[in-house]
């Protein structure tokens, strides 16, 4: 099969199969290198990059002492990274990633230091946010785009600080990630599919990490240490009801083609589980994201999201906001409810015609 025939075949199967632009480029290029060879090439690229970065930063600081020299070195490293991203192969891609991240870090350090603010972390976030957003749209590898998107979301989290706003921000990211995964088939072949995939991956990871701030034990600690921060009652209500609502809405969208009887039965069963596990919002968010990524066909996230769900289940069991007996009864009731729901759905969905 020649190259034109391969491109025609990919045009026909890209949307039905849900292929991303990255997967299409990989299939169009042919077979991948062995994984061990890619790992060795990546390590060699990073070692080489460290030597080259050291040889570049030294002369820049000698020519222009102080922040000007570091800023010049950062710009040169960033430009070198952008140029290397256009070269094919694992070695230049990983070397470009090292140069781009190093240059970005130097620029953030220089600009944040020039602001002269007392809160250095907040100053770094103010600088990192627009810089990472701009680099997200620049040419680069998929990993670099994911890291830039993650830096954007992390900078916003730093600017929000601890408190109810950070918890709401985590819920917003979870909602954005779920919607993006559920609608993946509609944007997978779009022009900016790679950028949307990077934002989706970063939003998923940040939502899973920030879900910890919604747990009752940590909310109690935050309310004690941030007594000066007041929030309306509606905000706290949204914090407590948001994770369960996300799970119900995700289930409702996935069941939109089922019969009304099936939808009502499954949503009622999910509502029963929500009453038992509402004090573990991280578990609920992980379940909602797990359904979304499984629907989208992402194999990597289908493995990572259940791992986060197990972590939040363990965090709920070992937290101290309620007694161990209370938590054990809740978990036993949840397990028995799941068994009953499985039996009921099996008889409902697989009943003889």
């Amino acid at each position: 099969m020649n190259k034109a025939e391969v491109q025609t075949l990919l045009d026909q199967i890209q949307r039905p199969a849900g292929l991303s632009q990255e997967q299409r480029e990989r299939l169009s290029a042919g077979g991948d290198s062995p994984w061990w060879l890619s790992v060795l090439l990546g390590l060699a690229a990073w070692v080489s990059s460290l030597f080259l970065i050291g040889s570049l930063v030294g002369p820049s600081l000698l020519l222009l002492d102080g922040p000007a020299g570091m800023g010049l070195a950062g710009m040169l490293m960033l430009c070198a990274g952008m140029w290397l991203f256009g070269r094919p192969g694992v070695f230049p891609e990983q070397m470009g990633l090292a140069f781009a991240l190093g240059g970005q870090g130097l620029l953030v350090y220089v600009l944040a230091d020039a602001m002269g603010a007392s809160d250095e972390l907040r100053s770094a976030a103010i600088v990192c946010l627009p810089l990472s957003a701009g680099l997200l749209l620049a040419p680069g590898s998929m990993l670099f785009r994911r890291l830039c998107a993650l830096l954007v979301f992390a900078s916003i989290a730093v600017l929000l600080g601890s408190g109810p706003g950070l918890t709401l921000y985590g819920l917003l990211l979870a909602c954005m990630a779920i919607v993006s995964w559920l609608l993946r088939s509609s944007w997978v072949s779009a022009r900016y599919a790679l950028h949307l995939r990077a934002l989706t991956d970063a939003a998923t990871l940040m939502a899973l990490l920030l879900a910890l701030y919604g747990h009752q034990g940590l909310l109690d600690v935050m309310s004690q240490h941030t007594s000066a921060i007041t929030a309306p009652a509606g905000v706290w209500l949204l914090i407590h009801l948001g994770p369960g609502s996300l799970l119900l809405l995700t289930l409702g969208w996935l069941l939109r083609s089922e019969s009304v009887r099936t939808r009502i039965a499954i949503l009622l069963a999910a509502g029963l589980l929500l009453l038992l596990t509402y004090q573990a919002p991280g578990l609920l968010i992980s379940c909602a994201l797990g359904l979304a990524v499984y629907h989208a066909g992402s194999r990597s996230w289908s493995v990572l999201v259940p791992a986060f769900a197990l972590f939040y289940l363990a965090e709920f069991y070992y937290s101290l906001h309620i007694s161990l007996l209370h938590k054990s009864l809740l978990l036993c009731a949840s397990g028995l409810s799941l068994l009953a729901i499985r039996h009921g759905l099996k008889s409902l969905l697989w009943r003889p015609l």
Side-chain angles (χ1 to χ4, degrees):
M1 185 179 291
N2 57 35
K3 189 173 182 180
E5 292 174 342
V6 170
Q7 294 298 329
T8 302
L9 179 61
L10 290 175
D11 290 335
Q12 295 174 355
I13 69 172
Q14 180 171 4
R15 183 176 290 275
L19 294 178
S20 64
Q21 191 65 26
E22 181 186 13
Q23 292 171 327
R24 179 190 172 113
E25 292 175 358
R26 189 181 303 148
L27 291 173
S28 179
D32 294 333
S33 302
W35 66 269
W36 54 268
L37 182 58
S38 299
V39 171
L40 290 177
L41 289 174
L43 290 175
W46 277 88
V47 172
S48 302
S49 301
L50 291 177
F51 283 107
L52 291 174
I53 289 173
S55 63
L56 177 64
V57 172
S60 300
L61 293 177
L62 290 176
L63 292 174
L64 294 173
D65 191 16
M70 297 185 67
L72 176 62
M75 286 298 300
L76 292 176
M77 289 166 58
L78 196 56
C79 293
M82 295 295 106
W83 180 81
L84 286 168
F85 281 140
R87 310 297 98 189
V90 177
F91 189 88
E93 178 182 336
Q94 292 299 317
M95 184 175 285
L97 180 63
F99 270 88
L101 290 178
Q104 186 177 359
L106 279 178
L107 288 177
V108 169
Y109 174 78
V110 171
L111 295 176
D113 186 65
M115 294 177 64
S118 57
D119 192 345
E120 297 180 356
L121 185 60
R122 188 176 181 85
S123 301
I126 293 174
V127 175
C128 187
L129 178 58
L131 181 61
S132 299
L135 292 175
L136 175 64
L137 302 176
S141 66
M142 192 60 193
L143 180 57
F144 181 67
R145 292 192 181 100
R146 288 189 176 107
L147 291 175
C148 287
L150 191 61
L151 288 173
V152 169
F153 293 138
S155 299
I156 297 175
V158 171
L159 293 177
L160 288 174
S162 61
L166 188 62
T167 307
L168 287 179
Y169 175 60
L171 286 174
L172 179 61
L173 288 179
C175 181
M176 186 180 78
I178 289 171
V179 171
S180 183
W181 285 119
L182 293 178
L183 301 179
R184 184 186 182 187
S185 59
S186 63
W187 57 260
V188 70
S189 58
R191 181 179 178 184
Y192 293 102
L194 295 179
H195 302 86
L196 290 175
R197 176 58 192 271
L199 288 170
T200 303
D201 289 337
T204 303
L205 181 58
M206 283 297 298
L208 290 170
L209 293 175
L210 292 177
L212 182 64
Y213 285 88
H215 280 233
Q216 185 64 42
L218 194 56
L219 284 176
D220 294 339
V221 173
M222 285 195 303
S223 63
Q224 295 173 4
H225 289 76
T226 58
S227 56
I229 301 177
T230 58
V235 173
W236 294 107
L237 183 64
L238 183 60
I239 288 174
H240 288 290
L241 298 182
S245 301
L246 282 179
L247 181 56
L248 288 177
L249 291 174
T250 304
L251 278 172
W253 193 90
L254 292 174
L255 297 170
R256 66 192 185 282
S257 59
E258 299 292 335
S259 63
V260 177
R261 179 184 175 187
T262 302
R263 278 182 287 174
I264 293 176
I266 294 178
L267 290 177
L268 286 177
L272 174 62
L273 284 177
L274 292 181
L275 292 176
L276 296 172
T277 59
Y278 78 95
Q279 297 184 77
L283 179 62
L284 299 178
I285 291 175
S286 300
C287 290
L289 284 168
L291 291 173
V293 298
Y294 183 79
H295 171 77
S298 176
R299 291 180 295 179
S300 57
W301 282 113
S302 296
V303 175
L304 290 174
V305 174
F308 274 94
L310 290 175
F311 166 76
Y312 283 117
L313 182 62
E315 196 278 338
F316 170 71
Y317 184 77
Y318 288 105
S319 60
L320 301 177
H321 64 285
I322 56 177
S323 66
L324 182 60
L325 177 60
H326 189 185
K327 288 180 287 189
S328 300
L329 292 175
L330 286 177
L331 293 176
C332 289
S334 301
L336 292 175
S337 301
L338 285 173
L339 291 175
I341 290 169
R342 177 187 179 277
H343 179 73
L345 291 179
K346 186 176 180 181
S347 61
L348 178 66
L349 297 177
W350 288 281
R351 61 185 183 275
L353 297 177

